Amino acid sequence: MILRSTFALPTLIALGTVAGLIAALTGSGWRDAAAWIGLGIPVASVGWAMAARRR
């Protein structure tokens, strides 16, 4: 059970990033927006973690 809770968030971040990479490589239009969102997930999560650590 602890293994599931430990790797749940990193797995979701990885899946979002992979989805963003696939969207970026396969087309344009709405896929560009999906790519920006998907590839922004790890950047946003690192920023959130750095802000939470400073508090």
Side-chain angles (χ1 to χ4, degrees):
M1 185 63 130
I2 193 160
L3 194 61
R4 262 189 218 164
S5 64
T6 301
F7 292 109
L9 192 57
T11 301
L12 289 175
I13 292 170
L15 289 175
T17 304
V18 169
L21 286 170
I22 291 171
L25 292 171
T26 58
S28 60
W30 65 270
R31 290 184 184 141
D32 287 336
W36 276 98
I37 292 169
L39 295 175
I41 290 172
V43 175
S45 62
V46 167
W48 174 78
M50 289 177 65
R53 186 173 178 170
R54 287 188 182 160
R55 287 188 220 151

